[in-house]
Amino acid sequence: MLWRFLVAAVLIVGASAATTAVAGLLQVKDIVTLISHNPGIVSKQIVLPAPGQPQTILLIGSDHRTGEPFRDSNTDTMLLVRLNAASSTINVMSIPRDLKVEIPGFGIAKINSAYTDGGYNLLIKTIQQNVFPSFHPNHVVDTNFTGFSDLVDAIGCVYSDVDHRYYNDTALTGYSSIDIQPGYQKLCGDNQSVHGALPFVRFRHTDTDIVRNARQQDFIRWAKDQFGVSRLISSRDQLLRIFGKHSTLDKGLQSEDGILNLFNLVLNSDGNTIRQIEFPAILPPPGPGPSYVTAEPAAEQASYARFMAPTPKAPASAANPAPASVKGHKHLSKIDTAGLTADVPDGHSQAAQLTRAGMPVYFPRWILTGSTYCLSLIGNCQDGQEPASEYVHSYPREYQIRDQRGVGHAAYRMTLAINPVQGQYYGVQGTTWTHPPLLASPSGTRTVAGRKLFLYADGGRLTTVAWHNGPDVYWISNTLTSAIHNQQMVSIAASLTRATG
């Protein structure tokens, strides 16, 4: 999301420059001033790009503050961003913080330790020697956690599709505290509150590095869909002032030439579509000892090649970037139940707990084979280290969502678990809020057994399938990593059945 703000700022430069050259240069100077609050990063590892050439940016999320030693700092996020004028997408790829590497001069450790042990130079060197040998960053942007929270508040918070109950008490476990209920809701910075966006995107206590990366990228997608470039432009000075205060950028980016070069690149590419490239992580088995993530070198190089490669631009007549499998409209006479299991009794049991939902309750007749409903009465989806009382009204949950105007809407959420140990949950959401931001731009539609479904895709995988029933809307949310196949998502949504009684 921080990268989005920087791209929006560059677009503003172009808008001003289109009026007069002088106004454009003044805008450039203003932007440079706002993002140069902290001293710039100087590193021989950073290779400044020639004008018009593709750029690779290393985006870091940390708790580091300018002037403090790196040994007192940690990074939760290492995100690579690729800009190419020949590409129809901005490519992004997360490097798992728990990736097992050999840090030069320090030995075997998790890759995030390289940042703590030696700052930017050692982190870049470690990536080059252990992960991506041909990695040569053109720019580095390091934003601390306070900046993230302040930016979320500045844009008016982000409506997020929270997949399960997030609860942790530092006093009991030693891990960062968090207290967020499942379901579609607005997450804010709230001065880094346990109910806010920062603990949500940083959480990793009971899942994996891969799921956290997916959660962070989903949060970026939700923010992008909710706030267009025009909204960011109108808040330009405020956002850039926050960004500059809490960020450290390389010297090359803190210059008029650097900003103009970046602007020209964005101007000739498509800054509205993000393509997520999956890191080929091998997750550790559960058990004692260091929980290292590993990867096969050949798979790493293949992923990096996909990250660096431009996405071909579609013909002007094909403006919709969604793949053929989710574009357009098709009619299917019956539900395809491959890979699904009928589970009507448990669906009725969930509905029976929603006595004050404030709307008709629907549940899917068919669920993914091997998955189970989370139910507070039996505690099958709660963290054993936390009090059971914190999950009493979570599975299932009935509540109210407040829209952008503050108007309340009835809502409920059913949560299903595929693999709680690996953080794999999907959900059933219902609300009387007919047009929430999540459902603003469908990729396509399907009519299955007479029911019209709206499809929402990201990178070719369905993240959401929705059904409107009068003023009410219901949807199936995929896991954060989109583990459920497209046809199964469509079939689960098509099987939504009204509870009786």
Side-chain angles (χ1 to χ4, degrees):
M1 187 169 64
L2 303 176
W3 172 243
R4 282 280 165 188
F5 296 139
L6 190 57
V7 170
V10 174
L11 292 176
I12 298 166
V13 178
S16 299
T19 306
T20 66
V22 174
L25 290 174
L26 289 175
Q27 291 287 349
V28 172
K29 291 179 179 179
D30 288 346
I31 290 175
V32 170
T33 299
L34 289 170
I35 67 176
S36 301
H37 182 275
N38 297 313
I41 301 168
V42 178
S43 172
K44 293 181 180 179
Q45 307 277 19
I46 299 172
V47 181
L48 294 181
Q53 292 301 302
Q55 296 187 20
T56 301
I57 297 95
L58 172 60
L59 179 61
I60 300 168
S62 72
D63 58 5
H64 182 251
R65 294 181 182 275
T66 302
E68 295 181 354
F70 282 97
R71 64 176 178 272
D72 298 329
S73 305
N74 299 283
T75 175
D76 277 357
T77 302
M78 289 161 283
L79 184 70
L80 303 184
V81 180
R82 181 67 172 174
L83 276 172
N84 189 333
S87 178
S88 63
T89 64
I90 293 176
N91 293 350
V92 299
M93 179 166 57
S94 296
I95 299 177
R97 57 162 281 171
D98 290 345
L99 185 66
K100 184 178 181 180
V101 295
E102 183 173 354
I103 300 175
F106 291 87
I108 300 297
K110 296 179 179 180
I111 194 169
N112 67 317
S113 297
Y115 179 86
T116 304
D117 293 335
Y120 308 112
N121 287 334
L122 187 58
L123 176 58
I124 295 170
K125 187 175 181 181
T126 301
I127 294 173
Q128 291 171 337
Q129 292 189 7
N130 291 264
V131 193
F132 303 132
S134 57
F135 170 63
H136 298 288
N138 303 118
H139 293 297
V140 174
V141 178
D142 185 352
T143 300
N144 66 43
F145 300 143
T146 302
F148 174 85
S149 298
D150 289 352
L151 283 167
V152 170
D153 285 341
I155 64 173
C157 311
V158 175
Y159 283 98
S160 306
D161 203 17
V162 179
D163 57 323
H164 68 94
R165 173 73 164 118
Y166 288 82
Y167 185 82
N168 188 63
D169 185 344
T170 301
L172 297 176
T173 67
Y175 294 93
S176 299
S177 293
I178 187 171
D179 187 359
I180 300 175
Q181 293 286 353
Y184 190 65
Q185 60 194 281
K186 183 168 67 174
L187 294 182
C188 300
D190 290 335
N191 197 26
Q192 303 184 49
S193 160
V194 295
H195 307 290
L198 180 61
F200 177 69
V201 298
R202 291 189 65 195
F203 182 84
R204 199 188 63 93
H205 173 39
T206 56
D207 53 35
T208 69
D209 224 16
I210 305 306
V211 172
R212 174 165 58 183
N213 289 343
R215 187 183 304 111
Q216 292 171 350
Q217 294 188 13
D218 280 350
F219 191 87
I220 291 172
R221 174 169 54 83
W222 297 328
K224 176 180 71 70
D225 291 343
Q226 188 175 334
F227 301 102
V229 171
S230 60
R231 171 69 180 275
L232 299 180
I233 288 176
S234 66
S235 306
R236 185 206 78 165
D237 288 351
Q238 180 189 15
L239 296 177
L240 286 178
R241 189 172 292 109
I242 295 171
F243 179 80
K245 179 180 178 181
H246 296 286
S247 300
T248 304
L249 294 78
D250 63 273
K251 275 287 188 182
L253 201 53
Q254 291 181 332
S255 68
E256 294 176 23
D257 286 345
I259 289 293
L260 284 172
N261 190 9
L262 191 63
F263 161 68
N264 287 330
L265 189 60
V266 174
L267 185 66
N268 291 293
S269 63
D270 185 351
N272 295 316
T273 305
I274 291 178
R275 180 189 178 199
Q276 300 178 15
I277 308 299
E278 184 177 357
F279 187 90
I282 301 173
L283 301 178
S291 54
Y292 288 120
V293 170
T294 58
E296 294 292 338
E300 288 176 333
Q301 304 324 308
S303 292
Y304 190 71
R306 288 194 294 274
F307 166 76
M308 295 292 286
T311 303
K313 294 188 176 183
S317 59
N320 192 337
S325 60
V326 295
K327 286 196 299 184
H329 184 83
K330 292 183 180 179
H331 288 265
L332 303 174
S333 59
K334 62 180 182 179
I335 297 174
D336 182 350
T337 60
L340 306 180
T341 299
D343 191 4
V344 174
D346 285 334
H348 276 297
S349 177
Q350 290 275 309
Q353 308 300 314
L354 301 171
T355 57
R356 294 178 295 176
M359 63 181 300
V361 174
Y362 282 77
F363 64 87
R365 181 177 295 272
W366 295 89
I367 65 174
L368 189 71
T369 298
S371 66
T372 57
Y373 283 97
C374 294
L375 185 59
S376 295
L377 294 176
I378 62 175
N380 62 320
C381 292
Q382 65 191 48
D383 181 0
Q385 299 182 64
E386 307 291 354
S389 59
E390 296 295 342
Y391 295 80
V392 170
H393 302 294
S394 302
Y395 301 133
R397 181 189 178 208
E398 51 193 4
Y399 65 108
Q400 273 205 342
I401 308 173
R402 295 204 172 274
D403 62 25
Q404 297 96 326
R405 298 175 298 168
V407 177
H409 301 273
Y412 72 86
R413 181 76 166 210
M414 299 177 183
T415 304
L416 296 98
I418 300 175
N419 188 335
V421 175
Q422 294 187 358
Q424 296 286 15
Y425 299 86
Y426 66 107
V428 181
Q429 180 79 43
T431 179
T432 57
W433 187 5
T434 308
H435 300 292
L438 183 73
L439 308 182
S441 302
S443 306
T445 56
R446 291 286 182 276
T447 296
V448 183
R451 174 173 292 169
K452 185 176 182 180
L453 305 173
F454 293 82
L455 314 182
Y456 300 82
D458 180 54
R461 301 300 294 269
L462 288 177
T463 59
T464 311
V465 179
W467 170 57
H468 292 265
N469 184 30
D472 306 325
V473 62
Y474 304 83
W475 68 81
I476 304 298
S477 297
N478 207 335
T479 69
L480 292 171
T481 59
S482 297
I484 305 177
H485 296 304
N486 289 357
Q487 184 55 57
Q488 293 169 333
M489 283 287 293
V490 170
S491 295
I492 294 170
S495 75
L496 284 168
T497 302
R498 183 167 181 172
T500 57

